[in-house]
Amino acid sequence: MASRQFATFEVADQLFGVEVDTVQEVLSYNEYTPVPLAPPAVGGLFNLRGQVIAAVDLRVQLGLARQAMEGPVMNVILRGDGEPVSLLVDRIGEVVDLDDEAFEPPPDTLSGPTRELVVGTFKLDGRLMLALDVNQAVDTYRATT
């Protein structure tokens, strides 16, 4: 039976996951440089060992209020098509092995911006994990065009 590994995290008490092979690293960071005239979902830039990383606020991408950028903020740094990009999340979860057979399409009740970001779901112990489309999640122009 084929399976995939997902790195999980929470935003507004909802469990999300991305395939582990899209994740470069997970870290907490607290010094972000604002980006004037950037789309609202851009939380800022930060320097990671000499590399400038754009931080995308997943809360904004989901149609929620902006993340408070005070103190350490959790980052899931993704390997995108080009440069690494960070997703700002509320809490980091764990890495889980999930059977491909347990994958289900997004539920019909899922609507709004979240629907555009989710490729499917997995039922975990008493929770539903929403699998994110990484490219849609970091596309800060998606909501403005």
Side-chain angles (χ1 to χ4, degrees), residues 16 41 53 60 75 85 93 118-119 126 130 132 137:
F16 292 93
I53 306 285
V60 174
N75 292 264
V85 177
V118 173
V119 294
L130 303 178
L132 282 182

Side-chain angles (χ1 to χ4, degrees), residues 88-131:
L88 300 175
V89 302
D90 296 346
R91 274 182 294 288
I92 300 299
E94 55 192 6
V95 173
V96 294
D97 285 306
L98 301 172
D99 292 329
D100 286 342
E101 291 178 7
F103 180 81
E104 297 180 15
D108 293 334
T109 56
L110 195 60
S111 62
T114 304
R115 177 76 177 192
E116 298 172 25
L117 301 181
V118 173
V119 294
T121 64
F122 288 92
K123 291 178 184 163
L124 304 181
D125 297 327
R127 292 192 80 180
L128 189 67
M129 186 199 82
L130 303 178

Side-chain angles (χ1 to χ4, degrees), residues 28-105:
S28 174
Y29 205 80
N30 61 355
E31 294 182 31
Y32 298 87
T33 302
V35 183
L37 305 176
V42 175
L45 302 173
F46 66 99
N47 186 324
L48 179 65
R49 296 183 292 279
Q51 185 172 23
V52 176
I53 306 285
V56 176
D57 192 336
L58 188 54
R59 294 179 70 80
V60 174
Q61 295 289 73
L62 295 169
L64 303 169
R66 251 184 112 80
Q67 171 104 256
M69 300 296 282
E70 301 165 359
V73 179
M74 297 310 299
N75 292 264
V76 177
I77 300 178
L78 304 170
R79 293 183 200 106
D81 292 332
E83 299 293 317
V85 177
S86 171
L87 281 181
L88 300 175
V89 302
D90 296 346
R91 274 182 294 288
I92 300 299
E94 55 192 6
V95 173
V96 294
D97 285 306
L98 301 172
D99 292 329
D100 286 342
E101 291 178 7
F103 180 81
E104 297 180 15

Side-chain angles (χ1 to χ4, degrees), residues 16-32:
F16 292 93
V18 293
E19 290 194 52
V20 166
D21 63 357
T22 66
V23 177
Q24 176 177 312
E25 62 187 289
V26 174
L27 57 88
S28 174
Y29 205 80
N30 61 355
E31 294 182 31
Y32 298 87

